[in-house]
Amino acid sequence: MTYTLSSINSQEGGGLAQVPKDRQQRSVPRPRLNRETVLRAGVELADQVGIEGFTMRTLSQELGVVPMALYKHVANKQELLEGMVDLVWNEVTEPDAGRGWKQGVRDRSVSLRDALIRHRWAVGLMEAAGRPGPENLRQHNAMLGCLRQGGFSFRTTVHVMSLLDAYVYGFALQQKTLSFETPEESAASAAATHDAESAETAARYPYLLEVVAELAKEGYDYDAEFTVGLDLLLDGVEALRGSWRSA
Amino acid sequence: MTYTLSSINSQEGGGLAQVPKDRQQRSVPRPRLNRETVLRAGVELADQVGIEGFTMRTLSQELGVVPMALYKHVANKQELLEGMVDLVWNEVTEPDAGRGWKQGVRDRSVSLRDALIRHRWAVGLMEAAGRPGPENLRQHNAMLGCLRQGGFSFRTTVHVMSLLDAYVYGFALQQKTLSFETPEESAASAAATHDAESAETAARYPYLLEVVAELAKEGYDYDAEFTVGLDLLLDGVEALRGSWRSA
DNA sequence: ACCTGAACACCGTTCAAGT
DNA sequence: ACCTGAACACCGTTCAAGT
């Protein structure tokens, strides 16, 4: 989770203002930039600062280079982000059709969700407008193949993939916004938020208050939550194998 | 869908460069700004230009005012967006517990999804970090109440709401990125994208190609797709009423 | 109480120039 | 082939000033 970026940071970012420019240049024998290095550094930076802090200028600074240098390796910021997203897709394990469609699809859904948690900035970009990258294509192809080989009709296969991905994306989206780390912090934060408004709020939103109080006591486990919902979905999907619209 | 903004646009935006400043000021007897007007204009503008084209400066221009004037009514852009999101929550119909939990929850899920389609910029912001607005609180409280009154245990209620919202958000997220309007355009666009790469791609992603070809022939109905998946979820949820973990 | 003008510290990106 | 410097047209936002 903590890559090499922080060390680069303390070397360059910290001392950058003090060190003369040509000195700074030579002190870190920076390897020649290429597309791959730029994309990987982009992922690292976005992981650390989030999408709103991610700029061409900060990225170039991390790489010890002037902002314009990046444009030799990526067309523009949009295309850079697309490349970064495909790097995230590359981290997702393909479904293994040999283990059966259900296990294969389950594994890949968990893997996708894990990747989205590691790279919280990516959720809104995974299915974004631009041309899908090769890893994206490979991944979706494998998913479709797993379901087709599992005996799902063509039409149902498309439905199921859309349904499962919607759940994974949506869950990651919900979890992304919750910035606290542990369930305990989560509960405490929720309680604190609403306690401040106290009496009036309690009267207006009784069910909400019940939840906050209860969660404050017991905590909330997102990981367990996700897999329970996923299995519910998979069971539902299994029931319609061969029965959804045109079989 | 097409509000009054376009007419304002043609009045002010179009002639703004030609008309002298004081003249332009008086020609449109602009009513006094307040928080409500700013937020509503914000929603309209974001609907039209998307979140990336939505700036304080363009919004102020739409309102016939200098950018700084907005800061009398909203603290900053972040707080403005939060207010706009709560306006979207206000469009969502509360679940009617009287019709039974299943119908109530279904109606509100469809309504939420419709709102997210009308305001595509909102998906990533609905559960965003800031303080949830009053409409957001009211909405979630009503959803919880509907499920509790439907006989769901406290714990299960939380799970179900999280599961359903994840699906709605995720589906809207998928649909958001597809910018084409009709299913036919959707299919054509998909086909065109992959046709360009032709032979090599066909060999590498056979299942994906199958989908593209098939969808090009038959089209793809997102609306039907959404409700089918939703009903699958609701049936699955019904089965675990009173049985999920602590009943 | 509400709006404005000028200014600041940022953005992404272009272009011509350096090595 | 790769990187740089200077510049352009934008951002959000502050502050002092106007009415």
Side-chain angles (χ1 to χ4, degrees), chain B residues 170-229:
Chain B
F171 204 95
L173 200 65
Q174 284 183 312
Q175 191 167 355
K176 179 182 86 126
T177 66
L178 277 5
S179 56
F180 16 74
E181 293 297 303
T182 71
E184 291 73 28
E185 285 174 331
S186 162
S189 156
T193 300
H194 297 285
D195 276 358
E197 313 172 17
S198 71
E200 202 197 2
T201 308
R204 229 194 310 243
Y205 313 113
Y207 293 107
L208 208 52
L209 262 283
E210 182 193 29
V211 169
V212 170
E214 188 71 13
L215 257 39
K217 273 195 353 221
E218 298 192 14
Y220 191 73
D221 184 348
Y222 267 99
D223 287 20
E225 189 74 10
F226 173 74
T227 50
V228 172

Side-chain angles (χ1 to χ4, degrees), chain A residues 127 141 145 148-149 154-155 159 162-163 165-167 170 174 177 205-208 210 214 219 225 228 244, chain B residues 127 141 145 148-149 154-155 159 162-163 165-167 170 174 177 205-208 210 214 219 225 228 244:
Chain A
E127 304 266 311
N141 183 69
R148 293 292 275 131
Q149 287 173 35
F154 167 81
R155 216 54 191 173
H159 298 327
S162 161
L163 174 71
D165 282 356
Y167 175 66
Q174 284 182 311
T177 67
Y205 314 113
Y207 294 108
L208 209 51
E210 183 192 30
E214 189 70 14
E225 189 75 11
V228 173
W244 198 345
Chain B
E127 303 267 310
N141 183 69
R148 292 292 276 131
Q149 286 173 35
F154 167 81
R155 215 54 192 175
H159 298 327
S162 162
L163 174 70
D165 282 356
Y167 175 66
Q174 284 183 312
T177 66
Y205 313 113
Y207 293 107
L208 208 52
E210 182 193 29
E214 188 71 13
E225 189 74 10
V228 172
W244 197 347

Side-chain angles (χ1 to χ4, degrees), chain A residues 51 66 75 78 95 107 115 130 134 137-138 203:
Chain A
I51 199 69
V66 93
Q78 169 69 26
D107 290 346
L137 294 175
R138 183 178 61 76

Side-chain angles (χ1 to χ4, degrees), chain B residues 122-142:
Chain B
V123 202
L125 271 35
M126 297 293 277
E127 303 267 310
R131 294 267 160 276
E135 292 300 318
N136 181 339
L137 293 174
R138 183 179 60 77
Q139 198 61 237
H140 281 98
N141 183 69

Side-chain angles (χ1 to χ4, degrees), chain B residues 4-226:
Chain B
T4 61
L5 190 62
S6 50
S7 52
I8 297 178
N9 245 335
S10 57
Q11 281 188 345
E12 296 203 344
L16 202 135
Q18 277 72 22
V19 183
K21 269 190 178 169
D22 58 324
R23 172 79 185 85
Q24 172 219 340
Q25 212 79 305
R26 246 173 290 124
S27 73
V28 179
R30 173 171 50 75
R32 199 71 147 201
L33 241 48
N34 58 39
R35 186 161 215 274
E36 192 73 7
T37 10
V38 171
L39 295 184
R40 293 204 179 280
V43 170
E44 273 185 50
L45 180 60
D47 287 350
Q48 294 194 332
V49 302
I51 199 68
E52 64 285 331
F54 179 83
T55 72
M56 298 299 276
R57 293 171 119 104
T58 54
L59 176 57
S60 71
Q61 198 177 165
E62 292 293 344
L63 289 165
V65 110
V66 95
M68 315 312 128
L70 300 179
Y71 289 83
K72 221 31 325 142
H73 306 99
V74 296
N76 48 42
K77 191 180 185 181
Q78 169 68 30
E79 202 246 2
L80 167 62
L81 286 172
E82 285 174 18
M84 287 162 56
V85 164
D86 219 46
L87 241 37
V88 174
W89 274 116
N90 188 41
E91 293 181 15
V92 180
T93 64
E94 276 188 28
D96 179 2
R99 305 189 61 195
W101 71 267
K102 204 173 181 181
Q103 192 62 43
V105 161
R106 189 184 194 280
D107 289 346
R108 129 67 223 220
S109 296
V110 170
S111 173
L112 173 55
R113 186 253 185 181
D114 288 345
L116 291 176
I117 295 304
R118 277 196 299 274
H119 312 289
R120 289 164 191 262
W121 49 271
V123 202
L125 271 35
M126 297 293 277
E127 303 267 310
R131 294 267 160 276
E135 292 300 318
N136 181 339
L137 293 174
R138 183 179 60 77
Q139 198 61 237
H140 281 98
N141 183 69
M143 183 77 163
L144 291 167
C146 180
L147 288 164
R148 292 292 276 131
Q149 286 173 35
F152 284 88
S153 76
F154 167 81
R155 215 54 192 175
T156 311
T157 293
V158 176
H159 298 327
V160 169
M161 189 169 75
S162 162
L163 174 70
L164 284 170
D165 282 356
Y167 175 66
V168 176
Y169 289 137
F171 204 95
L173 200 65
Q174 284 183 312
Q175 191 167 355
K176 179 182 86 126
T177 66
L178 277 5
S179 56
F180 16 74
E181 293 297 303
T182 71
E184 291 73 28
E185 285 174 331
S186 162
S189 156
T193 300
H194 297 285
D195 276 358
E197 313 172 17
S198 71
E200 202 197 2
T201 308
R204 229 194 310 243
Y205 313 113
Y207 293 107
L208 208 52
L209 262 283
E210 182 193 29
V211 169
V212 170
E214 188 71 13
L215 257 39
K217 273 195 353 221
E218 298 192 14
Y220 191 73
D221 184 348
Y222 267 99
D223 287 20
E225 189 74 10
F226 173 74

